[in-house]
Amino acid sequence: MHLKWLAGAFTLIAAVFIASAAMTYFTISGIDDEVSDLKRNSLPSVAELSAARAELQRARLTADTLTLSADEWSTQGFQELRTHEDSVRAHLAVYEQTPWYANERELYDGRLRPALEKLEKATTQVSSGGLGSARERMAADLAFDVFAGEVDEALTALLELNHSQSFLATENILNARRHYDQLALLLTLVSALVAGVAAAAVLQLMRRDQRRAQEALRHEAARSAELEMFASRVSHDLLSPLAAVTLSLAAIAKRHDDPPTRTAIERAQRTLERSRGIVQGIYEFARAGARPAKDARTSLRVGVRSAVDDFAGSGSDPGTEVNVEPLESVEVACCPGVLSVILSNLLSNAAKSMRESPVRRITVRARVIGTKACVEVEDTGPGVPPGLEASIFEPYVRAPSATQPGLGLGLATVKRLVEGHAGAVGVRRAAHGGAIFYFELPLVPPKADNASTAPGGLRPQVPAS
C-alpha cells in the first residue's frame, strides 16, 4: 500500500513538472506571438502613419505660403508641395505592406483613400492658383486645407486603431506573464507539498523496513538457537545408539574371530564411523545457523566415492549399476557429512525412480565451472515431468508417476543443504530420457602443502579407484 502511494506521489510530482514545462512553453509561445505582432504590424504602422501625418502638415504649411499672393508663387514652391505629398504616399505604401487588423482595411479604403484623391485635386488647384485672382487663390487654399484635414482625420483614426492594438498586445503580454507567475507559484507549492509528503512516506517506509530487518534478525537468532538446540538433541539421540552398536560389535568381535565375521564387523564399523560423521556434520551445520563453518572442506573425490560405496553396500537395490566418471582432485566448502547426505539422497532418489525401468544405471560425474564444482547424478528412469522441474525440490512434492513409498523430503533436504552452502540445485532431462539432478558447491583453494596443482590452479584428473 505504501509503495503504491509512494509511486503515485512521484508520478504526481513528475506530472507537475511536465505541466509546468508545458505551461512555460505555451506561455512563451503566446508572448512570442504578441511580440511578433508588435514588431511586424502595430509598431511599423504607427511609425509610418505618424511620418505621413508629419509630411501632411508640412504640405499644408507649404500650400498656405503659396497662396498668400501671386508674387510669391513659384515653380520651386509647387515642387516642394508635390514632394511632401509624394512622401505621404510613400509612407502609406510601406504601411499598406503590414498586416491588417479587424476593420483597418475598411477604414483605409472608406476614409483615407477618398480623402487622398480629393487632396490630389486640391493640390492641382493650388498649383494653378497663382494665375487667378486673390479670391480664387483663397478658395484653392481653403479646399486644400479642408481635404488635408480629412486625410489627417483618417490618419489619426488609423493611428488610434494601431495604438489600441499595441496597448492590447502589451496588456496580453503582461497578463500572460502575471498568469504564468501565479501558476508557476501554485505548481511549485504543489510540487513541494507532494515532495514533502513523499519524503515523509519514504522515511516511514525506511523505518518500517528497519523494524522488519531488526525483527528478522531477532527471528533468525531465535531460529538459530532453536535449531542448535534441536540439532544437539537429535545428534545426541542418534549418537547414543550408534555408540551402543559400536560396543556390541566390539563384543561380537572378541567372541567370533573367523574371517567372514571379522570382515562383516569391519564393514559395519566403517559404516558406523561414516554415520557419526554425517550426524556430526549436520549438527555443526545447524549450530552455525544453517551456514557452513568457515574452515569446512571436503575432498570431492573422497566424498563421492564414500557415498557411492555406502549406497552399494546398503544392498537396497542390488540390480542397480553405479558408474563414477573420473573426478578432479578438488575440495568443496562443506563438511564430509553434509556432502554424504546430499549424494545419498540423490542416489536413493535415482534408484527409486528406476525400479520399473528395464535398464537401471546411475552415472555420477563432476566438473569444475569457474569457482564451483558441479556434481551430476544421471539415471535411466522416466525423467521428471515437464513443469515439475522447480517444484520437485519443495517438501512433500513427488512426481505423479512415483510408485515407491516416500514423503518427498529427500530432494528438499538436498536443496536446503546446498543453498545453505551458497550453492544451487537443478534438474534437466537426459539425452536418453532419464533425469540429471545436479548441484553446485563453492570450491576451496588448495592448501599450500598439498600436492602440486595442474595448470590453471586445478589438480590433474585421475581415474576413480
Side-chain angles (χ1 to χ4, degrees), residues 37-319:
D37 182 70
L38 284 172
K39 182 179 179 180
R40 294 185 302 107
N41 192 355
S42 59
L43 293 180
S45 297
V46 169
E48 296 300 329
L49 290 172
S50 298
R53 282 193 68 196
E55 291 296 332
L56 181 63
Q57 296 303 321
R58 295 188 184 96
R60 294 176 75 174
L61 292 174
T62 302
D64 290 341
T65 303
L66 286 174
T67 56
L68 288 177
S69 66
D71 296 337
E72 295 183 8
W73 184 90
S74 66
T75 302
Q76 182 178 358
F78 176 70
Q79 291 298 328
E80 183 179 351
L81 178 62
R82 280 294 184 183
T83 300
H84 292 312
E85 187 174 347
D86 290 342
S87 295
V88 170
R89 293 187 179 277
H91 287 298
L92 291 178
V94 177
Y95 161 72
E96 289 179 2
Q97 302 304 314
T98 62
W100 299 94
Y101 290 114
N103 301 323
E104 186 177 9
R105 184 77 188 197
E106 291 79 0
L107 179 61
Y108 182 86
D109 292 336
R111 293 186 59 180
L112 182 59
R113 193 180 295 278
L116 288 172
E117 293 175 356
K118 295 176 183 179
L119 184 64
E120 175 67 23
K121 294 179 181 180
T123 302
T124 302
Q125 292 177 0
V126 170
S127 64
S128 61
L131 300 178
S133 62
R135 180 177 295 179
E136 290 175 345
R137 292 197 303 272
M138 291 297 296
D141 178 60
L142 179 61
F144 184 89
D145 191 63
V146 170
F147 297 142
E150 291 182 5
V151 172
D152 186 66
E153 289 177 359
L155 290 175
T156 301
L158 290 171
L159 273 171
E160 290 177 352
L161 189 149
N162 281 273
H163 274 130
S164 64
Q165 293 298 325
S166 299
F167 286 127
L168 180 60
T170 305
E171 187 66 23
N172 289 338
I173 292 174
L174 293 176
N175 289 335
R177 179 58 185 270
R178 184 163 51 250
H179 292 160
Y180 171 77
D181 291 340
Q182 293 174 351
L183 288 176
L185 177 60
L186 178 61
L187 290 175
T188 301
L189 292 176
V190 172
S191 179
L193 177 62
V194 175
V197 175
V202 170
L203 182 60
Q204 184 177 1
L205 288 174
M206 291 177 61
R207 289 177 177 174
R208 186 190 66 178
D209 292 342
Q210 186 178 12
R211 290 194 298 268
R212 288 183 175 178
Q214 293 175 350
E215 183 65 26
L217 289 176
R218 289 193 294 268
H219 177 74
E220 184 68 19
R223 179 176 174 273
S224 298
E226 181 181 356
L227 187 60
E228 180 179 352
M229 183 180 300
F230 173 77
S232 177
R233 183 62 184 176
V234 169
S235 63
H236 177 270
D237 292 343
L238 290 176
L239 290 176
S240 295
L242 291 178
V245 173
T246 301
L247 292 176
S248 299
L249 288 175
I252 294 174
K254 290 180 180 180
R255 296 180 182 178
H256 303 277
D257 196 26
D258 57 287
T261 303
R262 186 167 55 252
T263 300
I265 291 175
E266 290 175 354
R267 180 183 299 172
Q269 288 176 337
R270 288 194 299 270
T271 301
L272 285 175
E273 188 61 30
R274 283 195 289 268
S275 298
R276 288 193 187 93
I278 291 174
V279 174
Q280 188 64 28
I282 297 299
Y283 169 65
E284 294 294 336
F285 179 65
R287 190 175 66 177
R291 294 183 178 85
K294 294 182 179 180
D295 56 348
R297 58 195 306 144
T298 300
S299 170
L300 181 62
R301 181 188 298 169
V302 173
V304 170
R305 292 306 315 181
S306 177
V308 171
D309 291 343
D310 286 346
F311 174 78
S314 64
S316 58
D317 192 355

Side-chain angles (χ1 to χ4, degrees), residues 390-451:
S391 59
I392 198 170
F393 288 96
E394 299 301 322
Y396 311 111
V397 175
R398 305 186 69 201
S401 59
T403 59
Q404 301 301 318
L407 296 176
L409 294 177
L411 294 178
T413 301
V414 170
K415 179 181 179 182
R416 182 69 181 88
L417 291 174
V418 171
E419 291 182 350
H421 287 75
V425 297
V427 62
R428 66 178 185 271
R429 192 170 185 81
H432 54 75
I436 299 178
F437 285 86
Y438 61 89
F439 65 92
E440 297 177 353
L441 288 175
L443 291 173
V444 177
K447 294 181 179 180
D449 56 349
N450 283 357

Side-chain angles (χ1 to χ4, degrees), residues 345-355 362 377-379 381:
N345 276 285
L346 291 180
L347 292 170
S348 176
N349 177 75
K352 289 181 180 180
S353 68
M354 299 186 301
R355 291 289 172 82
I362 299 176
V377 177
E378 180 179 351
D379 61 58

Side-chain angles (χ1 to χ4, degrees), residues 317 319-321 323 350-351 353-362 379-382 432 434:
D317 192 355
T320 300
E321 175 188 354
N323 296 325
S353 68
M354 299 186 301
R355 291 289 172 82
E356 299 179 3
S357 298
V359 177
R360 298 196 296 271
R361 181 173 62 252
I362 299 176
D379 61 58
T380 56
H432 54 75

